[in-house]
Amino acid sequence: DLTGSVAKVDMDNLLNTPVGSFDQTLGGRVAGVNVSSGEGQPGGTMNIVIRGNNSLTQDNSPLYVIDGFPVEDATLASTINPSDIESLDILKDASATAVYGSRGANGVILVTTKSPNQDKVTVDFNAFVNVKTVLAKPDMLTPGEFAQLANDYGKEFNASQGKAPKQYYTDEQIAAFNNGTAGYNYIDNIFNEPAVSQNYDLSITGKNGKTSYLASLRYEDTEGVIKGSTYKQYNWRLKLDTEIKSWLNVGLNLWGDYSESAGPRMERYNGLLMSAINFANTIEPYNDKGEYNNKFAITGSPTYNPMGFINEMDSKNRILNNRIQGYVNFKIAEGLTFRSQVGITFYNTLNQNTYNDKSYQNFANTYTEANATSNFKYDFLNTNTLNYTKEFNSNHRINATVGIEQAH
């Protein structure tokens, strides 16, 4: 019996929302669960907090339990194909620690994937396309307005210093700015209008004798609203359940994903968005020699051209996850069962960056660079439980469980 606060997510409404991961749809659907975007990049993991922050200095993310296997990395949990999910339950109070210990102190999200229980072969195909646009852009001066303001500054400031007025732009240049034959709108040119996302999902489920099966494939291609920001993901799953004997059942669950992501430098300082806001739109991206105009309009001091962040970007992050889960279930006697399950997760990442002589890296540090970082890890979990259930009548029953678990 379960006591405490538990919320069940309406899966019909969730699956009708055209998104690439289930965590993107939880916001506003469950009381006490706050969802926010961590970085805004396509494919980025959402920040989920259940019933407020429990710590000022430590991570407040919940524990994910996927088909009985705990996952503490939100990035791994968010890569599940939403169409593979059967149910989502959220444990929101301290009672979760009674089952999962201190790992459940921030709440627990229970994810149960679909099981192959169809008596006939069923093929499902789902596809959708998303179109995204920027709701509001910064209100910027036009090139002509900026040029006139610069001339007014040169006149009034020099006059206050007892100097002759300085004219930064001629009347002919201002006229060209006003009729659109000169100048460059950096804000408009750093955004995709529109950004298109595609999602395709295919699943096959059925039963052959005493063996039931489910196989699914999914492909996602997401274009961010910032030019150069992309995310591609491939998901796969194979789930088998077999009744070998009336007292013996075995099952296998193979699933994983591969993703590629890329995007320009979006730092708070010296990043694409702030540079596009601050860079004068009276200056074209390139000079007559085909080189970037890397200088401020008035002072002439060096600053990196915003379009270089997009055009000279050569960075890609790759992630490959594979998970193997299996179980054996013995029916020893009436009401007495033994279950052993094993899960192994393989996690691989590869980050590659190349900075040429036109990149921001070379502009800021006067050297080119190429680097690659690879990371590999795996998790292992084995759970063995012995369960006895005996019901005497509607008011009396026994339910006893003994278990042992090892993980590393």
Side-chain angles (χ1 to χ4, degrees):
D1 294 330
L2 180 62
T3 60
S5 179
V6 181
K8 191 173 186 66
V9 179
D10 187 341
M11 291 304 301
D12 291 335
N13 288 336
L14 186 143
L15 294 177
N16 287 332
T17 305
V19 295
S21 62
F22 74 90
D23 56 352
Q24 297 177 14
T25 66
L26 288 180
R29 295 180 183 272
V30 182
V33 178
N34 298 319
V35 182
S36 60
S37 176
E39 55 190 32
Q41 291 279 12
T45 304
M46 308 297 287
N47 294 327
I48 299 179
V49 178
I50 299 176
R51 286 195 169 178
N53 294 329
N54 294 321
S55 173
L56 295 176
T57 59
Q58 302 300 314
D59 186 22
N60 290 285
S61 299
L63 174 69
Y64 297 85
V65 179
I66 304 171
D67 289 336
F69 291 87
V71 176
E72 297 186 51
D73 190 339
T75 303
L76 290 176
S78 65
T79 59
I80 300 176
N81 182 357
S83 298
D84 285 343
I85 298 177
E86 180 72 27
S87 65
L88 273 176
D89 299 283
I90 301 177
L91 311 183
K92 298 191 289 185
D93 61 13
S95 63
T97 61
V99 180
Y100 300 104
S102 60
R103 293 181 299 175
N106 295 322
V108 179
I109 298 179
L110 303 176
V111 181
T112 303
T113 60
K114 295 178 180 178
S115 297
N117 54 7
Q118 297 288 336
D119 292 332
K120 60 180 180 180
V121 177
T122 303
V123 179
D124 292 318
F125 177 74
N126 181 48
F128 63 81
V129 175
N130 276 344
V131 177
K132 294 173 288 187
T133 60
V134 179
L135 179 62
K137 299 176 183 177
D139 188 12
M140 309 292 294
L141 295 175
T142 67
E145 292 171 340
F146 179 88
Q148 188 60 57
L149 182 64
N151 284 347
D152 292 342
Y153 163 80
K155 177 181 178 181
E156 296 178 10
F157 178 78
N158 282 17
S160 68
Q161 301 296 313
K163 300 178 181 178
K166 181 175 178 59
Q167 186 177 17
Y168 292 97
Y169 297 95
T170 65
D171 293 339
E172 290 77 12
Q173 288 177 309
I174 295 178
F177 293 145
N178 288 331
N179 62 32
T181 58
Y184 192 82
N185 192 323
Y186 287 94
I187 287 295
D188 281 349
N189 282 282
I190 67 171
F191 291 111
N192 284 315
E193 291 289 357
V196 180
S197 300
Q198 306 173 62
N199 190 96
Y200 305 94
D201 189 297
L202 174 67
S203 66
I204 302 174
T205 184
K207 190 173 184 180
N208 184 9
K210 294 185 177 181
T211 300
S212 53
Y213 57 88
L214 183 152
S216 68
L217 293 171
R218 172 178 170 268
Y219 170 67
E220 176 189 355
D221 186 356
T222 299
E223 186 179 48
V225 293
I226 294 290
K227 285 184 178 179
S229 58
T230 60
Y231 179 77
K232 294 182 179 180
Q233 185 184 51
Y234 305 83
N235 295 83
W236 54 86
R237 179 181 295 272
L238 175 63
K239 201 170 186 179
L240 302 172
D241 287 320
T242 300
E243 181 184 333
I244 298 178
K245 298 288 185 179
S246 60
W247 50 269
L248 177 62
N249 293 80
V250 298
L252 183 66
N253 188 7
L254 305 176
W255 55 293
D257 63 273
Y258 171 77
S259 64
E260 293 182 355
S261 60
R265 178 185 173 94
M266 295 294 293
E267 303 296 330
R268 180 181 302 177
Y269 305 106
N270 298 319
L272 172 60
L273 184 58
M274 292 306 299
S275 294
I277 292 175
N278 295 326
F279 204 86
N281 51 15
T282 56
I283 301 178
E284 301 281 347
Y286 301 97
N287 60 24
D288 295 337
K289 298 180 180 179
E291 302 170 339
Y292 284 110
N293 280 317
N294 293 329
K295 62 180 181 179
F296 273 119
I298 304 301
T299 62
S301 57
T303 185
Y304 193 62
N305 193 284
M307 301 312 296
F309 289 110
I310 297 174
N311 300 332
E312 308 307 325
M313 179 196 68
D314 189 6
S315 301
K316 184 169 290 187
N317 300 324
R318 298 178 175 91
I319 300 176
L320 174 63
N321 300 312
N322 277 296
R323 304 157 181 95
I324 304 174
Q325 300 173 354
Y327 77 88
V328 178
N329 194 81
F330 295 91
K331 184 178 180 181
I332 302 173
E334 184 67 30
L336 182 63
T337 59
F338 173 77
R339 182 183 177 94
S340 179
Q341 57 186 25
V342 176
I344 304 176
T345 299
F346 300 96
Y347 180 76
N348 303 267
T349 64
L350 176 62
N351 301 328
Q352 295 176 302
N353 302 283
T354 303
Y355 306 102
N356 60 27
D357 57 348
K358 296 181 180 180
S359 66
Y360 174 79
Q361 178 79 5
N362 184 60
F363 172 82
N365 303 303
T366 65
Y367 62 83
T368 59
E369 180 183 359
N371 60 64
T373 304
S374 179
N375 179 48
F376 171 79
K377 70 175 182 179
Y378 77 95
D379 298 320
F380 172 83
L381 177 67
N382 173 231
T383 304
N384 302 280
T385 56
L386 184 66
N387 182 264
Y388 178 72
T389 302
K390 176 68 174 179
E391 187 169 344
F392 300 97
N393 51 51
S394 59
N395 297 320
H396 299 86
R397 64 175 175 170
I398 296 175
N399 192 339
T401 300
V402 177
I404 183 172
E405 181 178 280
Q406 57 178 334
H408 62 80

